[in-house]
Amino acid sequence: MSIDAMSGAVPVITIDGPSGTGKGTLAHLLAARLGWHLLDSGALYRIVAVGAEAQGIASSDIAGLCRFAHDMKVVFSPGAEESIRLDGQEVAPLVRLEESGEKASVIAAIPELREALFERQQAFRRPPGLVADGRDMGTVVFPDARLKFFLTASSQERVQRRYKQLKNKGVSVNLSALLRDIEVRDQRDASRAASPLLPAKTAVVVDTTALDIDQVLDRVLAKVGEEFSRTF
Ligand code: DC
């Protein structure tokens, strides 16, 4: 069943949580398993941060950021060799830098920018369904989602995962600086007034500290199977 039988709405599964909980990987795997579309909302904030900066738009220029967010043409091609084209230019390596996440977190606190990205995010909701990954997917962007997950993990574990990812990419990182950066970013994302990072009331909270990604996917698929009365 692809279209929600009760409301006629395209079903959405949201996956929210802080960075390093495995949300992104889980969202990719789940979307592929279900054959649904994928929204990586963090990438949109990252793209605005790096794209606006490249055009000389200051992070304090709210109107400029909103105009950029409204006009930008973005094409996502997820996969092992991820591609993100911004106005025809390949930007995935730049978008995935640690510092781009930091810049994204800063501009993501601007309510007008969140509003400017709202419809673009909702436009990802197309049949047969959508898996949406971010911070406010279940609370603000898709409050009527059929199923909402909120992933957590200890900050030590999240830093270790991020450290391994960066090392695999050949990026040299300082573990204690990384821990500090992640904690600052989490604190900013969770304490901002506009759409702070927090679990939706009905979210299924999954602590991934002691789980590998296959175990997380199994738990999530079990819930999805219950909700949609079938196995995937
Ligand atoms: O998920 P990520 O690390 O790519 O996200 C980068 C930043 O973007 C994150 O620190 C906060 C912001 N963000 C947000 O405010 N709301 C979202 N739905 C997704 C990301």
Side-chain angles (χ1 to χ4, degrees), residues 16-20 23 40-46 95-96 100-106 108-109 114 121 133-137 141 185-186 188-189 192 194-195:
D16 289 305
S19 50
K23 274 179 307 128
D40 173 356
S41 60
L44 290 176
Y45 288 95
R46 287 169 179 257
V95 161
R96 293 302 171 199
S100 303
E102 171 62 24
K103 289 174 187 165
S105 165
V106 172
R114 304 197 71 84
Q121 294 175 85
D133 151 21
R135 304 291 188 290
D136 62 342
M137 297 294 97
V141 182
R185 180 137 76 97
D186 288 348
R188 189 189 300 115
D189 293 344
R192 68 182 176 220
S195 312

